[in-house]
Amino acid sequence: MSKIDKLSIMGVRAFDNQSSMVIQFFTPLTLIVGTNGSGKTTIIECLKYASTGELPPNSKGGAFIHDPKLCGEKEVMAQVRMSFNNTSKARMVVTRNIQLTVKKTTRSQKTLEGNIVLINHGERLSLSTRVAEMDRSIPMYLGVSKAILESVVFCHQDDSLWPMSEPASLKKRFDEIFEALKYTKAIDNIKQLRKKKNEEYKQFQIKEEHAKQDKAKADKADQKRKGLGEAIEDLKHEAAAFQEEARETGRKSQEAWNNVARYTEVVESLKAARKNQSYYERDVLDLRKDLKELPDTDDELTRQLNKHQERMDQHTEREEEQKTHYRNIERDINQTRSKLGEKHLEVGKHEQQKATHEQKVKDRESEIKRSAHEHNIRGFDTELDDMQINDFLERIKKLRNEQNSKVERLRKDNAAEVQKAQVVLDKLRERRSALQESKRSARGQITSNESRLNALHKDFGKISMDEAGKASLEASIEDLEGRLQKTRDQATTADTASKLKHANDQLQRLEDDSDSLKAELLQATKQSGELARLDHLKKETKNRQRSLDTMKGAHGTRLEELLGRSWDPKSLESDFQSVLENKNKKVADAETRRDEVNRSLQQVDFKLKSYRDELKRKQKEVDDCVKTIHDKIESEPGDYREVLAECEVNRDTRKSDVEGFRNMAKYFNDCIKVAQSKDPACRLCSRPFEDTKLVRQFIKKLQDQIAPSRLRGLQDELDIYETDLQSARDASPSYDNWMRLTEKELPALKKEIAKQEEQREAFISQVEDHDSIVTGLQDSRRDAEALSKPVSTTTQYWNELRNLEVEIKDLAAKQNSASQGRGLDDIQDMIETVSAEAKEQRKTISKLQGESERSKEQISSLSLDLGNVRSKLMTAQHELEKSASISKQIDDLKSTNKDQREFMQSLDSQLQELGPQFLEEEAKLQDVRERADAKERQLQSAANDLNDTVRRLQHTDQEVRDYVEQGGPAKLERCQRDIETLRKDISALETDRTQVTVEINKIQKELAHQDEHKRVINDNLKYRRRKRELEETNAEVDRLSAQNAEADQQRYSHDAERFQKAHQKATMEKTSKLTELKVKDDQLQQLERDWETDYKDAKMNYKRAHIEVETTKAAVDDLGKYGGALDKAIMKYHGMKMEEINRSIDELWRSTYQGTDVDTILIRSDNETAKGNRSYNYRVCMVKQDVEMDMRGRCSAGQKVLASIIIRLALADSFGVSCGLIALDEPTTNLDRDNIRALAESLHELIKERQQQSNFQLIVITHDEDFLRYMKCSDFSDYYWRISRNPQQKSVIDKQSIAEVM
């Protein structure tokens, strides 16, 4: 149980900064008294600052600290020290320090380090010096939350009315008091944790399933591994057996083959010997057949053969010399013939060039004549000389330049004319765009207004009150007021005592007739009840008629507009439903027609989008083509034809230059050869040179003319022109596409898009018209639907009125039939005369007494009913005002929509007027473009023709001139002379070749004779050698045949093949088994690897995964249960606390408040949402005659103060179990004397009840000493503290006796 002991203040507000003031807090009551401005509230501020670290409201800029100007210092240190016992009853001291520094223009406030000291058995232990840690720790030591300390225990005077604050602020306060955010976060954390665990659970389930699959795979792999091990052992045994068999059969086979090889060698030797025998026999016979046998011995023949070789070498050397001479002659002949052939080719080429030149001359003349006729150039119809040709070329070039200039001027003029027409069209387009934008804006405004109208109609439909209901409530108020006044008048005028005395006087006389008159009295009473019922029904009829008239007056005009002037309440409901159904049908039909047009608009939009996409795509193709053409020819697409023709002319010109240079180089090389020969001369004129210097100059000049660098330069230029021409030709497809797109496809697409846009505008106009129609019909339907409730109410009033009239008629008939008997007065007179009915008379007396009580109860009941009906009337007036406001807004929005639609119609008319102008200007622009294009095409065509003519003429003329300049005729004559010279050289060489051939034949005959003699010698030697070899071979055959090796070879060969087959079979079986063994061994090794990597820990992993699944599932279930339990516990705790708080509030209010207008007050907490029961909205309610109403805005200032104090006391009682402390700062503000006295008495009773509680401390700060006397403070305290100002205007605290104020 915590308790505050002392508080020390220094340098805070008016308290001196040089010395501290100490105040001690007593139990159960501490009184602090002082005048206004003396510093009483500073005590509460310091307590709050010491316990929570929060500065008072509006204390920024150092207002909480003693002003340095008052003490003439630049820096002031403030200190607040509080001594208290914590919940463990250990004494603690908290110290907080603040510093305020004043500079020239600014003030800076700084919070310094403080500390918390624990004093235990005389030992002082410093716990913390950090401000944030102190702010968290002190509320914990006091045993109460920071929110309770701020809002309940040490509530500042400026915030003392927080229970009456706005709902959002009130909710924030109560949420902090209940620590709702902490519990909400706890539950949310539990949910998040449960969600996270649930996700983990799902992951663990997947992991468990995978582990389970791995375990099954591991079991299967283990079984397979064991099976493979057994199979491998079996295969090893089988392979070993087959290996042994193969080794044995292989050994036998090898032995047999060794024998076969041994005998085969003998057989092969025999076969070779027999083959040699046969060969030698044939060779001996062949040699002997044509052999000319010589008698000489072998040695003599050998010596003759050696001498023969020397003679043969001499003849061969002579033959080789002649052959060399022959080859030289033959080479010279071939070279000469080659030259002759080249000269023939050159002559043919020159003749061709001559023919081409002659044809070119004719073509040039015909081209000039044709061009002169085509371009109207006179004077060139006859044969032309070079001067005329040059003159024509100059004239045609000049004409071409003039035509190109005309084209350029026309292009500029056309561009200016098109630009002028385009400007007019752009202005019209801008005007049309502005009108369309205004139209879209108006349409958007109408759409927005329609949305607001729908929302307003929904709000209007939610209002359940109408004028008839209000009239009915007013009638009920009048009736209740009349009945209440009548009942009060009856209670005032009724003389119950005299009636009782009179009844006692008549008691004796009524006793005799009581039995006979009892039934008659009861009957009369019944008739009087029916009469009262009849009066009530007549009043109800009057009220219903008034309500019906009110409904007719309020809605009659609108119903006449809807149903006609002759509408009848009897058939009102059915007529209204028929009209409403008719309007619904019209709306549906209009919407159907609008939707049909809208679908057509959507189709047009789709087509328009497709065309625009196609236009973008084709425009991109055009851009790509333009880019490609520009990249290829570095010019615009319109110049492509000219650039291509120019490239062709350049290529042809340079190609002709290269060919001419090569021909010239060939001819000059021939000239150089002639000049370098033994008899140097000029090849062209056959003139010999006088000396070698002229020859060298001549050769040097020719070599300079045919230098390779010049050919390379020409060839490089030709390659460049070839590349440019090929690049231009590569751009031809792009140019064709560009022409196709720009001249055909793009204009067609733009035309189609314009057509679709026109259709779209037409459809949009139709849709807008249909929208206007649909909106009008919907407005009419909404207006009719708005009458739905008035129609229902009117019909209900009319039906109730008819029923009341029927019931009144029946009761009136009964009263007429009963009025013939005795009346109630007669029966009363007879009862007065019956003295024997004393007992009945006593009952009548008791009845009179009961009527008096019932009259009081009836007055109370009528007063309560009147209050309820008045409250309903206020609500009805508010709803009717809201209904009128909504109706006004609806009318304003409808008016706005009407204006916008009229504005749209005016825009449509302007757009329609603008349409023909736009089409006209567009047609003008198109016409200007077409005429300009036609003129430009015409002039460009003429310019192109002239360019082509000039290009052809220049090309042809250049070829003619090149032939003459390059010496074409002289070259032909020179080649013809060279051919004659070459023919003579060939004839002389052929004569020499014939002589050499005769000499070679003679030598070859001599060589042939020597060869024949040599052949005879060789044949004799060879015959003798073959004969000797034949004799040796016959002896060898006889020797080998005697061994009989062929039979042994066949026998051993058969055995070897048999053993080899057996060996191969065994080897194949062994290989098969080893292969199978290898496969199974590989499978086993793979299984072993898989086992090590995947299945080694499969069982343990499955066990671990299963445990994780089960534990996580249990955790998810436990968290769900814990979250649910915590949620229910929080709700139950909140309900219990609110019930406890309201119970305390009710007790304190009933014992304190002296007024009769508010029975009690309470705090209502409503669920903020349907699904979240932990968030509440709070409101303070007051109860008047069992009716709850929000206290905010309905109570006086004194009621606010009293309610706030009581709520704080109740909260302190509920939440301050460990800290029974509360401070009341000026609790009598705005209270009258009765309520001040009642509050003081309630506090006295509260202290009296709680004084046995050791930690209960009530701190009362007031300037009202009468309040202290009313509290009877002397019963609980002997002293009080007085706060005052000393002569230095510093706040001081003095302890004084309570007897001074009692």
Side-chain angles (χ1 to χ4, degrees):
M1 298 290 185
S2 61
K3 181 173 68 174
I4 295 177
D5 184 19
K6 293 179 182 180
L7 177 69
S8 171
I9 306 172
M10 182 177 68
V12 177
R13 293 202 187 271
F15 286 89
D16 192 6
N17 64 323
Q18 300 298 326
S19 61
S20 62
M21 287 290 168
V22 180
I23 180 172
Q24 184 176 6
F25 299 97
F26 310 113
T27 55
L29 177 64
T30 300
L31 298 174
I32 301 173
V33 181
T35 59
N36 292 332
S38 60
K40 303 186 298 299
T41 302
T42 305
I43 305 296
I44 300 297
E45 293 175 349
C46 290
L47 286 170
K48 179 179 178 182
Y49 177 64
S51 58
T52 65
E54 294 291 333
L55 293 173
N58 305 319
S59 61
K60 292 183 178 179
F64 183 60
I65 305 174
H66 188 68
D67 198 327
K69 293 180 180 179
L70 297 177
C71 58
E73 298 178 2
K74 293 184 178 180
E75 184 177 276
V76 172
M77 298 286 292
Q79 184 183 80
V80 177
R81 179 177 296 174
M82 183 178 70
S83 172
F84 64 95
N85 295 336
N86 62 14
T87 54
S88 302
K89 297 184 179 181
R91 188 161 177 265
M92 303 187 75
V93 178
V94 57
T95 304
R96 294 183 183 269
N97 301 303
I98 320 175
Q99 176 184 353
L100 177 63
T101 303
V102 177
K103 298 180 181 179
K104 290 183 179 180
T105 57
T106 59
R107 293 183 171 212
S108 61
Q109 177 181 312
K110 182 178 180 182
T111 301
L112 304 178
E113 287 189 354
N115 65 348
I116 303 176
V117 178
L118 174 64
I119 303 173
N120 190 9
H121 302 295
E123 295 183 2
R124 298 173 66 88
L125 177 64
S126 180
L127 300 180
S128 176
T129 58
R130 297 176 60 186
V131 176
E133 189 172 345
M134 291 172 62
D135 294 343
R136 291 193 299 269
S137 302
I138 296 174
M140 180 181 66
Y141 292 138
L142 289 172
V144 69
S145 67
K146 183 178 179 180
I148 293 295
L149 290 173
E150 290 180 353
S151 302
V152 178
V153 177
F154 300 131
C155 183
H156 195 275
Q157 188 176 3
D158 293 347
D159 293 337
S160 60
L161 298 181
W162 65 263
M164 296 298 154
S165 59
E166 58 184 6
S169 178
L170 186 63
K171 171 178 171 56
K172 181 180 178 182
R173 293 269 189 174
F174 272 109
D175 285 345
E176 290 174 352
I177 290 171
F178 278 99
E179 297 179 309
L181 184 60
K182 180 171 70 176
Y183 292 110
T184 302
K185 284 185 177 179
I187 292 177
D188 290 340
N189 288 337
I190 291 172
K191 286 186 176 180
Q192 291 294 330
L193 183 58
R194 186 170 184 265
K195 182 179 179 182
K196 183 178 179 181
K197 286 294 182 183
N198 204 8
E199 292 175 356
E200 290 180 359
Y201 173 65
K202 292 179 181 178
Q203 293 176 357
F204 286 148
Q205 280 185 320
I206 296 172
K207 184 178 177 182
E208 181 192 23
E209 182 63 27
H210 291 167
K212 186 176 181 181
Q213 294 175 0
D214 289 343
K215 179 177 175 296
K217 291 178 181 179
D219 295 338
K220 185 176 180 181
D222 191 32
Q223 293 177 0
K224 189 175 181 180
R225 185 176 60 172
K226 293 178 181 179
L228 284 173
E230 296 174 356
I232 287 171
E233 290 298 326
D234 295 340
L235 288 172
K236 284 182 179 179
H237 293 304
E238 293 177 2
F242 283 116
Q243 185 176 5
E244 182 64 26
E245 182 180 354
R247 187 167 53 249
E248 182 64 24
T249 54
R251 183 182 61 77
K252 293 179 179 180
S253 174
Q254 186 63 36
E255 291 177 355
W257 280 116
N258 290 336
N259 292 325
V260 169
R262 183 161 51 84
Y263 286 104
T264 300
E265 185 177 354
V266 176
V267 171
E268 290 299 324
S269 298
L270 179 61
K271 288 182 178 179
R274 287 176 177 171
K275 185 177 181 181
N276 290 334
Q277 182 183 24
S278 176
Y279 170 73
Y280 291 149
E281 288 176 352
R282 289 196 305 274
D283 200 11
V284 167
L285 291 176
D286 291 336
L287 290 172
R288 189 173 183 180
K289 184 185 300 182
D290 297 325
L291 180 63
K292 181 181 179 182
E293 292 188 17
L294 297 175
D296 300 325
T297 63
D298 292 340
D299 293 336
E300 291 176 349
L301 292 176
T302 303
R303 282 194 297 269
Q304 291 178 9
L305 187 62
N306 293 332
K307 290 180 180 181
H308 167 78
Q309 186 62 40
E310 293 176 1
R311 290 191 296 271
M312 289 295 295
D313 290 341
Q314 292 175 358
H315 291 299
T316 301
E317 184 177 356
R318 287 176 57 204
E319 181 185 20
E320 188 62 31
E321 290 176 357
Q322 292 299 323
K323 285 184 178 179
T324 301
H325 190 199
Y326 179 85
R327 284 194 294 270
N328 292 333
I329 294 172
E330 187 71 25
R331 182 181 69 250
D332 293 339
I333 291 173
N334 290 333
Q335 289 178 352
T336 305
R337 286 177 177 174
S338 175
K339 290 180 181 179
L340 181 61
E342 291 176 359
K343 289 299 177 178
H344 280 296
L345 291 175
E346 189 174 350
V347 167
K349 179 181 178 182
H350 289 311
E351 289 176 350
Q352 179 64 34
Q353 289 178 352
K354 181 179 179 182
T356 303
H357 169 69
E358 293 172 353
Q359 184 63 37
K360 290 288 184 183
V361 171
K362 293 179 182 178
D363 292 343
R364 180 179 64 178
E365 187 172 351
S366 62
E367 181 67 24
I368 289 173
K369 292 178 180 180
R370 186 187 63 79
S371 300
H373 180 268
E374 182 178 349
H375 299 294
N376 297 321
I377 301 175
R378 307 301 179 189
F380 296 95
D381 296 333
T382 61
E383 292 186 2
L384 303 176
D385 55 15
D386 292 340
M387 184 177 298
Q388 289 177 321
I389 290 171
N390 293 330
D391 182 39
F392 181 81
L393 288 174
E394 293 297 328
R395 292 178 65 179
I396 197 70
K397 287 179 182 179
K398 184 177 179 182
L399 185 62
R400 178 194 64 181
N401 295 333
E402 291 175 355
Q403 187 68 26
N404 289 333
S405 300
K406 287 181 183 179
V407 172
E408 289 299 325
R409 287 196 299 272
L410 180 63
R411 283 178 180 172
K412 292 180 181 178
D413 295 341
N414 290 341
E417 190 175 359
V418 169
Q419 181 65 26
K420 183 177 178 181
Q422 186 67 45
V423 169
V424 176
L425 186 61
D426 290 342
K427 289 182 179 179
L428 290 176
R429 186 177 286 111
E430 290 175 359
R431 184 181 174 193
R432 184 178 67 176
S433 299
L435 292 174
Q436 290 175 345
E437 182 62 30
S438 301
K439 188 176 177 182
R440 281 193 293 271
S441 176
R443 190 185 301 118
Q445 183 65 36
I446 291 173
T447 303
S448 176
N449 291 344
E450 288 294 332
S451 301
R452 292 184 60 193
L453 276 172
N454 292 331
L456 289 173
H457 279 296
K458 289 180 181 178
D459 294 339
F460 187 81
K462 294 177 182 178
I463 298 175
S464 59
M465 184 55 63
D466 52 18
E467 289 80 357
K470 178 184 175 184
S472 177
L473 290 174
E474 291 174 347
S476 299
I477 289 174
E478 292 178 2
D479 180 56
L480 288 172
E481 287 177 345
R483 289 167 61 190
L484 180 62
Q485 187 61 38
K486 182 178 179 181
T487 303
R488 286 176 176 170
D489 293 341
Q490 288 177 355
T492 303
T493 57
D495 192 0
T496 307
S498 61
K499 287 183 180 180
L500 287 174
K501 185 176 180 300
H502 181 69
N504 287 326
D505 293 339
Q506 298 297 325
L507 181 60
Q508 186 64 36
R509 291 189 294 113
L510 293 174
E511 290 179 354
D512 296 334
D513 297 333
S514 84
D515 293 336
S516 60
L517 294 176
K518 185 176 181 180
E520 190 173 356
L521 180 62
L522 292 173
Q523 183 65 31
T525 303
K526 183 177 179 182
Q527 290 179 357
S528 66
E530 292 178 351
L531 183 60
R533 171 69 176 165
L534 183 61
D535 292 337
H536 175 70
L537 291 176
K538 287 180 179 179
K539 289 181 181 179
E540 288 293 323
T541 302
K542 183 178 179 182
N543 291 336
R544 293 295 184 274
Q545 186 63 47
R546 182 164 57 182
S547 298
L548 182 60
D549 293 339
T550 301
M551 293 298 291
K552 289 181 178 179
H555 306 289
T557 304
R558 295 166 65 191
L559 289 172
E560 288 177 1
E561 293 175 356
L562 185 66
L563 303 175
R565 300 182 62 85
S566 59
W567 65 275
D568 187 6
K570 182 177 181 181
S571 60
L572 177 61
E573 184 75 24
S574 59
D575 295 342
F576 175 76
Q577 291 298 329
S578 299
V579 171
L580 192 60
E581 289 176 359
N582 187 24
K583 289 184 177 296
N584 286 330
K585 184 177 179 183
K586 289 181 178 179
V587 169
D589 294 340
E591 288 177 345
T592 301
R593 291 191 294 271
R594 180 191 63 186
D595 293 341
E596 291 176 355
V597 179
N598 203 15
R599 282 193 293 272
S600 300
L601 176 60
Q602 291 175 355
Q603 293 176 358
V604 172
D605 285 338
F606 178 76
K607 290 181 180 179
L608 190 59
K609 182 178 181 300
S610 300
Y611 287 142
R612 284 173 177 167
D613 293 341
E614 184 68 15
L615 179 63
K616 289 180 181 178
R617 188 181 65 78
K618 291 187 179 298
Q619 189 62 48
K620 185 176 182 302
E621 289 183 12
V622 170
D623 296 339
D624 293 340
C625 291
V626 171
K627 184 176 182 301
T628 301
I629 294 171
H630 190 271
D631 292 341
K632 295 293 184 181
I633 66 173
E634 296 182 356
S635 184
E636 299 301 323
D639 302 331
Y640 174 75
R641 292 297 183 189
E642 296 180 5
V643 173
L644 180 61
E646 184 178 353
C647 290
E648 289 176 348
V649 170
N650 293 333
R651 192 279 311 269
D652 294 341
T653 301
R654 191 56 62 200
K655 187 175 181 180
S656 178
D657 292 342
V658 171
E659 290 177 354
F661 185 86
R662 285 175 176 169
N663 293 329
M664 182 181 71
K666 187 175 181 181
Y667 176 74
F668 283 0
N669 284 324
D670 293 340
C671 291
I672 291 171
K673 289 181 181 179
V674 173
Q676 290 176 346
S677 63
K678 294 180 179 180
D679 298 323
C682 177
R683 192 172 185 276
L684 181 63
C685 61
S686 300
R687 182 176 61 84
F689 291 100
E690 296 178 355
D691 53 16
T692 58
K693 183 177 180 181
L694 291 176
V695 174
R696 286 195 300 272
Q697 291 177 353
F698 176 72
I699 292 173
K700 186 176 184 302
K701 184 177 180 180
L702 292 181
Q703 288 177 345
D704 292 339
Q705 291 291 326
I706 61 172
S709 58
R710 296 185 61 187
L711 178 61
R712 284 196 298 272
L714 292 174
Q715 187 63 47
D716 291 341
E717 292 179 4
L718 177 61
D719 293 340
I720 292 172
Y721 289 142
E722 288 283 358
T723 303
D724 293 342
L725 178 60
Q726 186 60 40
S727 179
R729 288 174 176 172
D730 292 340
S732 179
S734 299
Y735 175 75
D736 295 339
N737 289 335
W738 179 79
M739 291 291 293
R740 172 177 54 81
L741 290 170
T742 54
E743 293 184 359
K744 295 181 180 179
E745 296 185 3
L746 285 180
L749 267 178
K750 291 178 180 178
K751 186 176 180 181
E752 189 64 32
I753 288 173
K755 179 180 177 182
Q756 294 297 327
E757 286 180 344
E758 291 178 2
Q759 292 183 4
R760 183 176 182 275
E761 291 298 329
F763 281 126
I764 288 176
S765 179
Q766 294 180 23
V767 169
E768 289 171 352
D769 294 340
H770 284 289
D771 283 338
S772 178
I773 295 171
V774 170
T775 303
L777 292 174
Q778 288 177 344
D779 291 341
S780 177
R781 181 180 66 180
R782 277 197 293 267
D783 294 340
E785 289 175 345
L787 290 172
S788 177
K789 189 171 182 180
V791 167
S792 177
T793 305
T794 302
T795 304
Q796 179 183 355
Y797 287 155
W798 187 86
N799 292 330
E800 290 177 353
L801 187 60
R802 299 284 76 78
N803 294 333
L804 289 172
E805 288 176 352
V806 171
E807 192 172 356
I808 288 171
K809 185 177 180 181
D810 294 340
L811 286 175
K814 290 182 181 179
Q815 288 294 325
N816 291 332
S817 62
S819 62
Q820 298 176 1
R822 289 186 293 183
L824 186 61
D825 294 334
D826 296 336
I827 297 173
Q828 187 67 32
D829 292 338
M830 291 181 68
I831 291 175
E832 291 175 358
T833 60
V834 177
S835 58
E837 298 296 334
K839 186 176 180 180
E840 184 65 28
Q841 189 63 26
R842 285 193 293 274
K843 290 182 178 179
T844 303
I845 293 170
S846 177
K847 180 180 179 182
L848 289 173
Q849 293 174 347
E851 287 178 354
S852 177
E853 294 295 330
R854 285 194 298 274
S855 176
K856 292 180 181 180
E857 293 177 357
Q858 189 175 5
I859 289 172
S860 177
S861 176
L862 289 173
S863 297
L864 181 61
D865 293 342
L866 182 60
N868 292 334
V869 175
R870 282 176 177 170
S871 177
K872 292 179 180 178
L873 181 61
M874 290 176 63
T875 303
Q877 289 175 347
H878 175 70
E879 289 188 354
L880 288 176
E881 291 174 358
K882 184 177 179 181
S883 174
S885 175
I886 291 175
S887 298
K888 185 176 182 304
Q889 294 181 42
I890 290 174
D891 295 337
D892 293 341
L893 290 174
K894 288 182 178 178
S895 176
T896 302
N897 282 353
K898 183 179 178 182
D899 296 340
Q900 292 293 337
R901 290 192 180 95
E902 292 175 355
F903 178 61
M904 287 177 63
Q905 290 176 358
S906 68
L907 291 176
D908 288 336
S909 63
Q910 294 181 37
L911 285 170
Q912 290 176 358
E913 293 174 359
L914 193 62
Q917 299 179 21
F918 186 80
L919 294 176
E920 182 180 354
E921 294 299 329
E922 198 173 39
K924 288 181 179 179
L925 176 61
Q926 186 66 26
D927 181 60
V928 168
R929 285 177 174 170
E930 290 177 355
R931 286 189 288 104
D933 291 342
K935 292 179 181 178
E936 187 175 343
R937 281 196 300 272
Q938 183 177 0
L939 289 179
Q940 186 64 48
S941 177
N944 291 338
D945 291 342
L946 283 170
N947 288 329
D948 292 341
T949 300
V950 170
R951 189 167 54 252
R952 288 195 302 272
L953 286 174
Q954 285 179 338
H955 182 65
T956 305
D957 184 65
Q958 185 63 38
E959 288 180 346
V960 171
R961 293 178 185 275
D962 289 344
Y963 179 77
V964 175
E965 290 174 357
Q966 292 173 3
K971 291 179 181 179
L972 178 60
E973 294 176 359
R974 187 168 57 251
C975 285
Q976 289 175 349
R977 288 197 302 270
D978 291 340
I979 289 173
E980 188 64 28
T981 301
L982 289 172
R983 285 175 178 171
K984 292 179 180 178
D985 294 341
I986 291 171
S987 178
L989 289 171
E990 287 178 347
T991 301
D992 293 341
R993 184 180 62 181
T994 302
Q995 294 176 356
V996 171
T997 303
V998 171
E999 185 65 23
I1000 289 172
N1001 290 333
K1002 183 179 178 181
I1003 294 171
Q1004 286 179 348
K1005 287 179 179 180
E1006 183 65 27
L1007 286 173
H1009 174 73
Q1010 293 295 328
D1011 287 339
E1012 178 65 22
H1013 181 68
K1014 179 182 178 181
R1015 185 186 65 75
V1016 171
I1017 292 172
N1018 285 328
D1019 288 344
N1020 278 272
L1021 292 174
K1022 187 176 181 181
Y1023 172 75
R1024 295 172 184 178
R1025 187 173 56 254
R1026 287 286 183 270
K1027 193 173 181 181
R1028 287 193 298 270
E1029 290 174 353
L1030 177 61
E1031 292 174 356
E1032 292 174 357
T1033 302
N1034 290 333
E1036 181 68 20
V1037 169
D1038 293 339
R1039 184 181 63 81
L1040 292 175
S1041 298
Q1043 294 182 10
N1044 196 20
E1046 292 179 349
D1048 293 335
Q1049 180 197 19
Q1050 291 179 358
R1051 178 169 57 82
Y1052 284 116
S1053 177
H1054 177 71
D1055 293 339
E1057 289 177 357
R1058 179 167 56 82
F1059 288 126
Q1060 187 174 8
K1061 289 180 180 178
H1063 174 72
Q1064 289 176 351
K1065 182 178 180 182
T1067 302
M1068 289 174 62
E1069 291 292 337
K1070 182 193 75 170
T1071 303
S1072 175
K1073 297 300 180 182
L1074 289 176
T1075 302
E1076 187 176 356
L1077 176 64
K1078 182 66 170 58
V1079 171
K1080 291 187 179 295
D1081 188 60
D1082 291 342
Q1083 292 177 355
L1084 181 60
Q1085 290 180 4
Q1086 183 64 38
L1087 283 175
E1088 291 291 345
R1089 289 193 294 270
D1090 294 342
W1091 176 267
E1092 289 295 329
T1093 56
D1094 299 332
Y1095 306 128
K1096 182 179 180 180
D1097 301 325
K1099 292 184 179 180
M1100 184 59 66
N1101 291 338
Y1102 173 69
K1103 183 178 180 181
R1104 188 181 299 109
H1106 183 67
I1107 293 171
E1108 287 175 345
V1109 168
E1110 295 300 326
T1111 54
T1112 307
K1113 181 180 179 183
V1116 170
D1117 295 339
D1118 292 344
L1119 286 172
K1121 293 176 183 177
Y1122 177 61
L1126 181 59
D1127 196 5
K1128 292 178 182 177
I1130 292 171
M1131 294 173 61
K1132 186 174 181 181
Y1133 168 75
H1134 186 274
M1136 291 172 60
K1137 279 294 182 183
M1138 290 304 302
E1139 184 179 353
E1140 179 183 345
I1141 292 167
N1142 285 327
R1143 185 166 58 249
S1144 299
I1145 290 173
D1146 182 66
E1147 292 175 0
L1148 291 171
W1149 182 268
R1150 291 185 184 276
S1151 63
T1152 304
Y1153 185 63
Q1154 299 301 305
T1156 60
D1157 56 332
V1158 179
D1159 297 337
T1160 186
I1161 64 172
L1162 70 158
I1163 300 172
R1164 285 295 182 202
S1165 57
D1166 303 323
N1167 288 344
E1168 189 175 21
T1169 58
K1171 65 177 183 178
N1173 296 324
R1174 301 182 304 278
S1175 184
Y1176 300 90
N1177 286 324
Y1178 299 90
R1179 55 192 174 92
V1180 180
C1181 299
M1182 58 183 181
V1183 179
K1184 293 183 177 182
Q1185 299 176 358
D1186 296 332
V1187 177
E1188 288 185 11
M1189 292 178 288
D1190 287 346
M1191 199 168 185
R1192 175 177 166 81
R1194 290 190 175 92
C1195 61
S1196 64
Q1199 289 173 335
K1200 286 183 180 179
V1201 172
L1202 186 59
S1204 298
I1205 292 172
I1206 289 174
I1207 290 171
R1208 286 177 56 205
L1209 290 170
L1211 290 172
D1213 186 31
S1214 181
F1215 290 97
V1217 177
S1218 298
C1219 180
L1221 174 67
I1222 186 170
L1224 301 179
D1225 189 5
E1226 296 291 358
T1228 60
T1229 303
N1230 294 329
L1231 296 182
D1232 56 20
R1233 303 313 299 177
D1234 292 339
N1235 282 312
I1236 290 174
R1237 180 188 295 274
L1239 176 60
E1241 292 174 355
S1242 296
L1243 292 176
H1244 182 274
E1245 292 299 324
L1246 178 65
I1247 297 170
K1248 189 175 181 181
E1249 291 178 3
R1250 306 291 176 83
Q1251 65 180 349
Q1252 301 302 323
Q1253 183 177 336
S1254 61
N1255 68 331
F1256 177 74
Q1257 288 179 296
L1258 176 63
I1259 303 172
V1260 178
I1261 301 174
T1262 182
H1263 65 278
D1264 189 354
E1265 296 181 358
D1266 291 336
F1267 179 67
L1268 302 180
R1269 286 190 284 273
Y1270 294 151
M1271 280 183 64
K1272 300 177 183 179
C1273 296
S1274 58
D1275 293 347
F1276 310 110
S1277 179
D1278 296 331
Y1279 302 95
Y1280 74 96
W1281 299 95
R1282 180 173 292 277
I1283 313 296
S1284 61
R1285 295 286 186 107
N1286 62 10
Q1288 290 78 29
Q1289 295 302 311
K1290 304 292 179 66
S1291 296
V1292 294
I1293 303 174
D1294 297 321
K1295 183 179 180 182
Q1296 297 184 4
S1297 175
I1298 195 66
E1300 294 178 4
V1301 295
M1302 297 306 294

